[in-house]
Amino acid sequence: MAKYHIQGGLAGKILRVDLSDGRIWTEETAKYAERWIGGRAINSYILFNEIDPGTRWFDPENLLIFGAGALVGTSLGANRMSIETKNVFNNGKGSANVGGHFAAELKYAGFDHVVVSGKAETPVYLWISDGKAELRDAGALWGKTTYETEEMLQRELGDRGIRVACIGPAGERLVRGSLILVDRAKAAGGSGVGCVMGSKNLKALAVRGHGSIEVADPQAFLDASGLALRKVKASPTSKPMWKDTLSGTYYSDPMTPSWDLLYVVRNGQDDYWEVEKRKRIMDPESGVPGYRKKVLACFNCPIGCMPFFEINEGKYRGTRGEGFWVNTLMSAAMLDIAEPDVMLKAWLLMNDLGLDADFAVGMIAWAYECYEKGLLTQKEVDGLQLEWGNSDALITMIEKLAYREGIGDFLAEGPVAASKKLGKGSDYYTIHMKGQPTIEPFRIPKGWALAVATSPVAGRHLRGATLGSSRFGPRGASFEPHVYEDQAKYVYWQGLTKEIEDLTGICVYVGTWSGARALEVSDYAALLNSVMGLNLTEEALMRMARQGRNLEKAFNTLHTNMGRQDDLPPRRYMEEPVKSGPYKGHRCDREKWDEMLDEFYELYGWDKETGLQTRTCLEELDMHDVAERLGKAGRLVGE
Amino acid sequence: MKILRDANLCHGCRACEVMCSFHHRRAFSPEWSSIRVVRDNATGGISWSLDPTTCDMCEGEEQAFCVSYCPYEALRRGS
């Protein structure tokens, strides 16, 4: 097993906090970094090692782990933090990843990771400052929104430089799809990480750091970061991102092909959204861009992509805040609401109340469809008229969901529980992967769908989805988003580069993700080597990426019964074809999906029949301890 | 000579602050930086300031790091 001698880049300590008895202690990051480098890989290893399979997400024994990427606080583009815990939707791997300025502050405060165990008797927050940490009473913060929480903590602690990661009312009430919000805008949304935080009675982490991060080879760092910056500046997508961004949707032209590939409409009734509606929401003057006041950046990010909005007229006058994502547009299509001010209001409200938007929109769109189909009556939805396009009802539904009022309480438990309770065949209309709602497209972009379906953290697109070919990607493979052939190769490659990005903390937008054409794996190697004093090759990094992904897979195998059957698309998308638009007739063809899955498993060395790992595959990656644990549990294929 | 900022171009990323500390100490710490960037998440406001008593215009470096590493070309040397 490779053992890396780390000479820079890390803050050096992992903070451990047991909320049950209030104990706080530290350990050396090097103990983990010498094998896993940093970020999500270290989080995943701690989670894999320290939680028993019988543990449920709400048990005090569950861990909530925050981990800054290894390069955060040093290299341009590195600011991201991974959050790992048990997934509230399936008890498997829960993972969310977030940018902003929190992770860098954490490292300057002396910590690379924070591992939270136990459950506090009464609400608390964790105050981390310059190598020290303490738990403080959060009685006054409980019940407050995320915006209010940041405001109150900065005031109480008397410093605007304090960075806050917190939950809102939704997380406190254990709404499954609750988020942890950083900097009032950056959402760690998936897997219900905010719900786990709520279950631990932990309202917030507040951090301030005045320390420093060493770099192993300063001259090599200047060379590597100089080259990296030149690449970012030369990328055709960088400037549109930081100049005209709507957070990843720099293709604001309604006729851009991605609009035909990415948007799921009315809870999956169709995958084509009318051009008139696209124009309405994206009009440069009267659409979302008209409300944009400025564009902000995450820590040390060269392609800052976060727009700050203010609504100065109409019903939502006074609404202001940062954030509008490609998922905001996906949400608009899913709900068939083409009103820009409403979608902005809805998005900022979900952040403020602590709701993950993909979850909330997925559940609300399902309720709209059940209402349309007569499966939910007007009385059952608290007298609302859940007709497609009813935007007032959307805002009310978001509030109900966050506070678990009426119909919101029913939806808060997630798609599997809600449809089981409702019955009447309503489960057909729940669009979820592995129990977590997904608003992602499946029927048209085949590789995108494969990535979403195979994501170890259930139905999200960042683990390998891509809409375009890449000048760095697999060689000798053709890329057509709407065909099945060769897509597995791209998904495999894109998923691996994301693993590297998440151990460094470099954002995908600065890196290799679809559309962003700046940094590549050789840059990650050069930056890691100069900062940490290592000698990693691209091949070595790609191998570490396979280790990271296998670690997550192993966690799911050990903690759930998930296998190949859970990597298939939602039933609706296999049965119902797209009804209109240029891709009319497309659906998920079971036979071709199976071929694509076969190829994907083969690339990872997983068993095709079950989708699970073999001893050989893990031992080839020097993951003997992981193989041993799976073997003992009887969860290795062929044993 | 001093460093001038165009507030309209600045995204508040703090690259200048970080690289300034790298000039002073060949390590990273906003504390050692001559530049302070404070963001107000509520308003989207960015306050930027430079301490002229510690800024040496990156003496010894090829260029002033804050200028050359600003991705948005928001900083320049001027008087």
Side-chain angles (χ1 to χ4, degrees), chain A residues 528-541:
Chain A
L528 281 168
N529 290 340
S530 63
V531 171
M532 303 185 89
L534 301 172
N535 193 23
L536 294 164
T537 60
E538 283 182 63
E539 291 72 27
L541 275 178

Side-chain angles (χ1 to χ4, degrees), chain A residues 368-387:
Chain A
Y368 272 65
E369 179 149 28
C370 287
Y371 181 85
E372 181 188 38
K373 299 279 191 295
L375 306 174
L376 278 172
T377 63
Q378 193 170 351
K379 195 178 163 204
E380 285 171 311
V381 298
D382 307 335
L384 295 168
Q385 289 182 310
L386 296 189
E387 279 142 13

Side-chain angles (χ1 to χ4, degrees), chain B residues 31-70:
Chain B
E31 282 311 295
W32 298 331
S33 181
S34 304
I35 297 172
R36 284 277 177 285
V37 183
V38 182
R39 292 160 50 106
D40 183 342
N41 295 327
T43 62
I46 301 162
S47 94
W48 187 94
S49 60
L50 185 137
D51 179 354
T53 62
T54 55
C55 171
D56 58 7
M57 301 299 284
C58 274
E59 197 181 333
E61 315 285 2
E62 278 179 33
Q63 299 172 70
F65 282 160
C66 60
V67 175
S68 59
Y69 278 88
C70 175

Side-chain angles (χ1 to χ4, degrees), chain A residues 210-211 213 242 297 300-301 304, chain B residues 11 13 28-29 31 39 41 44 72:
Chain A
H210 301 87
I213 307 287
W242 60 255
N300 209 350
C301 179
Chain B
H11 282 51
C13 74
F28 301 97
S29 171
E31 282 311 295
R39 292 160 50 106
N41 295 327
Y72 310 104

